[in-house]
Amino acid sequence: MQKTIGTFVPISALFSSKIHKKDTGSFAAGVIFLDWLKKTNQSAWQVLPLHETQLEKGSTTRHIPSPYKSYGIGLNPQYLSSDFAQKYPTAQEKSVFLKENNDWIEDYSLFCSLRDYFKTDDWRKWEEELRLRNINALISWKEKLADKIDFYVTQQWQLNQSYAQLRSKAKELGITLIGDLPFYVSIQSPLVWAYQEIFNIEKDGSMLTVSGIPDVNQTYFGRQIWGHPLYNWNSLDHKKRIIALWKTRIRYQSRFFDYIRFDHANGFFEYGVININDPKKDTYEKGPGTELFEDLIEYSHNQGLTAFVEDSGENLILLSQSMHKKNISGVKVFLFSFGENIAMINNQFAKIFNYSTQTVAYTSTHDTRTLLGFLEFLNVKDKKRLATTANIPYFQDNKEFARAIRSAILQSPARVVIIPIQDWLFTSERINIPGTEREINDPNWHFHLKIPIEDLPISLK
């Protein structure tokens, strides 16, 4: 099979000298970025999740930057190209759009309207009848906020039209679009509001335990508190509704992408339970397991998506067995082969020539240092050790050494190789540092290119 080579870069990071400044980070900039991918003989583009994120703590308008604290459905209005902000659907077009999206658009548009009315997307602070989704209250508020609801339906239609232009051009150029399916959604999400009973939350909406990673041996980033509500796998009825929610999200993703990465896939087999009051009570619990995971993978394929999974973490035996059975790829992140102190986690994974063909290979990810940043962090002794272990030539100059590593990964047996834009450009700017997120003024997730798309290098040797 022909090797697929692509770039990972968030749409929000892009700007172009050919379009108005207000279209920075929009789908319009993404359309132009596709030309650069084609000129550099690439055939794939991976982006971060495109959903709107929860409001920042204490703010009525400002959203947090993390795409992994999102509503989990709908497109983020920040990506709307200005040309499409002036377009409005006909009655027939709106009717078709509502029908095609009837599994989420009603709850989403009402949720956003109520968010604006109560000046918070924390639905737990709304009136009790709305928190509990009393049917008469919902009918009453739909009538009261009809104009606002229509605004959000129209806005999502505009966003879909704007993205359709990007996807159409990607197909024309032969560019595969790769999306990301987070395992969890934000507590401040229309999906959690609509599916409250399937999450492990109290009657008042509070959470005693949340998502994250307990601090155990060989945990790459240590203890992480992600803060999402955990799924309630306790009963068959709950499980059925959880599956229904996952399938709604997968169907939605299939409208935008060709490939989809299942984030934190081992969570289907074992997931972290973080006690918000006492770290000593953090634990791992068993997930729903093989049957559900394989059902969702099969469902993704039936929706036209090629699925691959983030297969990092502890105790991957069951996940690996399902991956083999369903013939789906995992990922290899070069930097994950090494600890921050260059202690080898797995020498086999560090040897690039040992990569499986059934692999999506990365130099680095948004969670890690960039390739250059990692080399700048190491001393000469550790860099030489890295070169020996990975079986690549050592260069004293960090950029040349990074180039050698990147070249080895591009030439590895992996059939899909995705290079973060920083590793094409040899910069050290990170997208985020896990475990450092803040509820207010989070410094993460603000990465932007320093140069317009038109000035990106055409030669990537």
Side-chain angles (χ1 to χ4, degrees):
M1 293 178 62
Q2 185 176 358
K3 185 185 289 284
T4 296
I5 295 173
T7 293
F8 166 78
V9 62
I11 291 177
S12 58
L14 303 173
F15 75 100
S16 167
S17 58
K18 291 183 178 180
I19 56 179
H20 196 280
K21 187 177 180 180
K22 62 185 176 182
D23 275 324
T24 294
S26 73
F27 293 143
V31 169
I32 294 173
F33 182 70
L34 291 169
D35 290 324
W36 178 77
L37 291 171
K38 187 66 176 179
K39 289 176 183 176
T40 53
N41 297 314
Q42 297 184 68
S43 56
W45 177 14
Q46 182 173 340
V47 298
L48 286 170
L50 300 179
H51 309 305
E52 188 169 13
T53 60
Q54 70 181 53
L55 287 174
E56 187 177 87
K57 185 177 182 180
S59 174
T60 60
T61 58
R62 191 169 57 249
H63 291 263
I64 66 170
S66 172
Y68 295 96
K69 284 289 186 70
S70 79
Y71 288 174
I73 204 77
L75 294 173
N76 194 324
Q78 77 176 41
Y79 299 124
L80 181 59
S81 305
S82 57
D83 286 348
F84 288 89
Q86 308 305 317
K87 296 182 182 296
Y88 294 91
T90 64
Q92 182 179 2
E93 287 172 331
K94 184 179 292 185
S95 177
V96 170
F97 180 73
L98 286 168
K99 184 177 181 180
E100 291 176 343
N101 296 276
N102 65 356
D103 51 356
W104 67 275
I105 191 67
E106 185 175 341
D107 283 321
Y108 170 86
S109 57
L110 176 59
F111 179 91
C112 291
S113 301
L114 290 167
R115 173 196 67 193
D116 295 352
Y117 184 88
F118 291 107
K119 301 187 184 307
T120 179
D121 61 0
D122 190 345
W123 53 270
R124 299 170 295 178
K125 297 179 180 178
W126 297 349
E127 294 180 359
E128 183 178 7
E129 288 187 330
L130 284 173
R131 293 200 314 267
L132 301 177
R133 293 179 59 85
N134 176 277
I135 187 64
N136 292 325
L138 293 178
I139 292 172
S140 175
W141 279 94
K142 286 175 185 177
E143 294 174 354
K144 182 176 182 177
L145 300 176
D147 289 343
K148 198 69 172 179
I149 289 170
D150 184 68
F151 168 82
Y152 283 112
V153 170
T154 298
Q155 186 180 69
Q156 284 299 311
W157 178 87
Q158 292 169 334
L159 283 157
N160 274 256
Q161 295 298 306
S162 183
Y163 188 89
Q165 181 187 47
L166 186 156
R167 188 165 194 191
S168 176
K169 184 171 182 178
K171 288 184 177 180
E172 177 186 331
L173 297 178
I175 306 294
T176 296
L177 297 175
I178 304 175
D180 199 342
L181 183 61
F183 191 80
Y184 295 110
V185 294
S186 168
I187 182 68
Q188 295 165 222
S189 158
L191 294 177
V192 178
W193 177 57
Y195 288 80
Q196 293 174 47
E197 71 280 1
I198 72 171
F199 292 96
N200 191 14
I201 56 180
E202 303 300 305
K203 289 184 178 180
D204 63 356
S206 62
M207 299 181 290
L208 303 179
T209 56
V210 296
S211 65
I213 301 292
D215 189 10
V216 297
N217 292 335
Q218 294 189 338
T219 298
Y220 192 93
F221 296 110
R223 185 181 192 246
Q224 297 178 58
I225 305 175
W226 297 342
H228 309 89
L230 299 168
Y231 297 106
N232 187 346
W233 301 109
N234 292 334
S235 75
L236 182 60
D237 287 340
H238 287 149
K239 191 175 294 185
K240 286 180 178 179
R241 291 210 76 203
I242 296 171
I243 295 171
L245 175 58
W246 271 90
K247 289 185 175 180
T248 293
R249 296 175 65 206
I250 291 168
R251 279 195 305 275
Y252 187 74
Q253 296 277 2
S254 70
R255 297 169 187 169
F256 307 108
F257 302 110
D258 307 295
Y259 278 57
I260 193 72
R261 184 190 81 113
F262 273 67
D263 173 60
H264 188 52
N266 204 42
F268 288 106
F269 301 90
E270 181 181 76
Y271 60 93
V273 178
I274 301 298
N275 188 295
I276 59 176
N277 296 316
D278 186 357
K280 294 180 180 178
K281 294 182 179 179
D282 291 353
T283 186
Y284 278 101
E285 292 189 9
K286 288 185 178 180
T290 301
E291 184 177 352
L292 186 146
F293 171 72
E294 293 181 1
D295 177 40
L296 293 180
I297 292 296
E298 189 68 28
Y299 186 79
S300 300
H301 292 167
N302 292 339
Q303 295 297 310
L305 287 166
T306 298
F308 67 100
V309 303
E310 181 197 24
D311 53 339
S312 58
E314 305 287 319
N315 302 323
L316 300 175
I317 294 175
L318 293 177
L319 173 60
S320 297
Q321 289 173 348
S322 283
M323 290 170 60
H324 179 74
K325 178 180 176 181
K326 305 302 291 186
N327 195 33
I328 56 176
S329 298
V331 303
K332 289 286 184 293
V333 180
F334 180 75
L335 264 59
F336 280 168
S337 301
F338 307 93
E340 290 290 323
N341 63 353
I342 207 62
M344 299 307 165
I345 294 176
N346 190 317
N347 286 339
Q348 179 183 1
F349 291 168
K351 295 184 183 300
I352 297 168
F353 60 83
N354 279 342
Y355 284 3
S356 165
T357 56
Q358 196 76 354
T359 289
V360 180
Y362 298 81
T363 45
S364 61
T365 76
H366 63 80
D367 278 330
T368 70
R369 300 173 190 265
T370 68
L371 194 51
L372 180 64
F374 181 61
L375 295 178
E376 290 174 340
F377 168 76
L378 301 179
N379 59 40
V380 172
K381 179 181 178 181
D382 284 342
K383 283 187 284 189
K384 288 182 176 179
R385 182 181 175 190
L386 183 155
T388 299
T389 303
N391 195 31
I392 54 177
Y394 167 74
F395 290 89
Q396 187 173 1
D397 179 82
N398 285 329
K399 284 189 177 180
E400 289 304 309
F401 193 17
R403 193 186 308 275
I405 295 171
R406 188 184 71 189
S407 178
I409 293 171
L410 287 168
Q411 296 173 37
S412 74
R415 288 178 181 162
V416 180
V417 178
I418 304 296
I419 307 294
I421 192 72
Q422 302 98 309
D423 293 346
W424 284 126
L425 302 177
F426 298 124
T427 66
S428 55
E429 301 160 279
R430 291 186 67 159
I431 291 179
N432 70 293
I433 303 175
T436 67
E437 290 83 1
R438 301 176 188 169
E439 292 183 321
I440 301 174
N441 296 323
D442 187 358
N444 296 286
W445 309 104
H446 295 288
F447 170 74
H448 291 92
L449 290 179
K450 297 292 191 295
I451 57 176
I453 296 165
E454 292 77 17
D455 292 346
L456 291 172
I458 302 300
S459 175
L460 297 177
K461 296 181 180 180

